[in-house]
Amino acid sequence: MTGTLRTRAAFLAKLLELLVFPSTCRLCRALLDEPGERIVCRACLDKLAPRRGPLCPACGRFLEGAGGDHLCAACLEARPPFSLQRSCGTYGGTLKEVILLFKYRGSAPLSAPLARFAEAALGREKALWEGAELLVPVPLHRARRRERGFNQSRLLARDLARLREMNVLDGALVKARNVPAQAGLRAAERERNVVGAYAMRRPEKVRGRIIVLVDDVTTTGATLRECARVLIEAGAKEVRAITLAQA
């Protein structure tokens, strides 16, 4: 390729990038002029802060008030099928805005900075990562995936796996029924909604292994519990879970 053709190709590539990705931050409208900035500026991403404070050591529910970690009332009554769950932060403010852009507005490149945020927030949680062998994204039904263009949990798991030098098991845990979205449902409705919605295609892939489920947001934990139950019944040795945010 001649120098002129290379220059023209570089110009067209930059033009295409500006057409596909906005040149200003979707949150604060600042110019995206730093290398690698896409969709959301570095200043807004720097506002993402892990939530610190007491939590339930089993389900990861954030607890209010003073005191240390202790089991919540729900886990005292019945422990979830996963051994522990951890969320990076509360579903609100900048974190919520970035997740909404990522999940619903076709902003797949936000997966990488969100994975870096997850690693910074939870990367030192020994109980979460010690002995873990595979990251498994919470799946979308194929109809929902076609509609959205991607599975946000799969992208997040992929980028987190790169940071942690782990493998992602995709396509083994599947969403077999296209049930209504969990958003907007009450707690009891969420539990009923996911029963039987997930299935295992290749149980031998998880048999005897320690799995970390990956999802974007947890509210009541119904989806994580159902996915963990399916994985345990398929023979997984242990299931843990991580989410970006907790509503």
Side-chain angles (χ1 to χ4, degrees), residues 89-93 95-97 99-100 104 217 245-247:
T90 302
Y91 189 58
L95 180 56
K96 179 179 179 179
E97 292 182 277
I99 290 173
L100 288 174
Y104 295 117
V217 179
Q246 183 179 130

Side-chain angles (χ1 to χ4, degrees), residues 71-89:
L71 289 174
C72 67
C75 288
L76 282 171
E77 184 176 337
R79 295 292 286 268
F82 51 78
S83 58
L84 72 153
Q85 192 280 136
R86 295 292 181 265
S87 299
C88 301

